[in-house]
Amino acid sequence: AQSVAQPEDQVNVAEGNPLTVKCTYSVSGNPYLFWYVQYPNRGLQFLLKYITGDNLVKGSYGFEAEFNKSQTSFHLKKPSALVSDSALYFCAVRARGYSTLTFGKGTMLLVSP
Amino acid sequence: DTAVSQTPKYLVTQMGNDKSIKCEQNLGHDTMYWYKQDSKKFLKIMFSYNNKELIINETVPNRFSPKSPDKAHLNLHINSLELGDSAVYFCASSQASENTEAFFGQGTRLTVV
């Protein structure tokens, strides 16, 4: 079985400030972890993924995420938020040997000017 | 060039009708999926196909029937539509390898009245 928790329904941050969107996961064995972003009335866009190796993963639009095996977390971060980053963010996990992604419930990020 | 395209984008229909949603990908991927996003934005896998063969069929009513005429297409047919079927349906595709990201279509917003 595999599951993902995004504990925050919404994250508010001022433009220019750093942002963090939290994600924890539960799988048997080592996971593949993904972050996606969904803008209003659009499909999901891939941001970044962790497969193996370096715990800090860099992705699109200046986002990065840190894999922490001991805390089973994969938090999304950005050093300086933009208003245009406002969107719905999904964390997803796939256990090795499992066919599909399991998504978290999503976190709405609101960046104020 | 749209990588994963779904038609129609919006679909409004009456209870009891039968409708289809079409999906095509031009990425050369072997695996295609259907996801359902409910009103709370929760994403749930419905079906997964690999090279035209059904791999995953989650607990979806048998009124929903996917059809894959070739590996670039995965259509979703829904019989006897119910109010609770109202949602956004996303098609996605990926390479067969489990550490690859999925690419999503823009979604089909189905409203059953």
Side-chain angles (χ1 to χ4, degrees):
Chain A
Q2 56 186 32
S3 65
V4 176
Q6 293 182 243
E8 304 152 317
D9 290 338
Q10 185 167 305
V11 170
N12 296 301
V13 65
E15 189 173 32
N17 284 357
L19 68 88
T20 299
V21 182
K22 295 180 180 177
C23 170
T24 59
Y25 65 90
S26 175
V27 297
S28 301
N30 293 320
Y32 299 116
L33 293 156
F34 304 80
W35 276 101
Y36 287 83
V37 60
Q38 184 179 24
Y39 297 99
N41 299 314
R42 302 288 297 275
L44 277 71
Q45 296 179 32
F46 168 74
L47 279 179
L48 51 79
K49 65 182 177 183
Y50 172 81
I51 301 173
T52 187
D54 194 349
N55 289 342
L56 185 63
V57 178
K58 294 188 183 297
S60 306
Y61 312 121
F63 284 94
E64 58 189 28
E66 185 164 13
F67 172 65
N68 187 319
K69 188 173 182 177
S70 63
Q71 297 185 7
T72 62
S73 67
F74 190 55
H75 300 332
L76 182 70
K77 300 181 179 185
K78 187 173 182 181
S80 178
L82 299 172
V83 172
S84 57
D85 292 330
S86 298
L88 185 60
Y89 289 81
F90 290 95
C91 182
V93 67
R94 176 186 282 161
R96 299 186 188 215
Y98 201 72
S99 300
T100 59
L101 287 171
T102 296
F103 284 85
K105 64 179 174 63
T107 298
M108 180 63 72
L109 172 66
L110 292 176
V111 181
S112 55
Chain B
D1 245 1
T2 305
V4 182
S5 60
Q6 296 177 229
T7 54
K9 189 171 182 179
Y10 300 97
L11 184 54
V12 181
T13 188
Q14 290 187 326
M15 284 175 53
N17 283 352
D18 303 339
K19 290 293 179 186
S20 292
I21 305 172
K22 295 185 176 181
C23 178
E24 176 182 6
Q25 55 96 3
N26 63 6
L27 297 167
H29 290 163
D30 291 324
T31 306
M32 296 185 72
Y33 314 85
W34 278 107
Y35 283 85
K36 180 180 180 180
Q37 187 174 45
D38 63 22
S39 59
K40 295 184 178 180
K41 304 297 186 182
F42 187 71
L43 272 165
K44 185 173 170 57
I45 183 73
M46 299 174 69
F47 301 102
S48 171
Y49 266 73
N50 189 11
N51 262 324
K52 303 194 303 175
E53 290 189 18
L54 181 64
I55 302 299
I56 294 286
N57 180 354
E58 292 292 327
T59 51
V60 177
N62 58 14
R63 298 182 293 105
F64 290 79
S65 54
K67 287 186 171 46
S68 183
D70 55 61
K71 74 173 193 177
H73 295 83
L74 181 62
N75 304 323
L76 183 65
H77 189 75
I78 316 169
N79 289 328
S80 304
L81 278 155
E82 300 177 358
L83 292 177
D85 297 331
S86 296
V88 181
Y89 293 85
F90 286 102
C91 177
S93 72
S94 71
Q95 295 176 359
S97 176
E98 60 193 18
N99 65 6
T100 59
E101 60 273 23
F103 291 77
F104 284 76
Q106 80 276 21
T108 296
R109 183 176 295 276
L110 171 65
T111 303
V112 182
V113 298

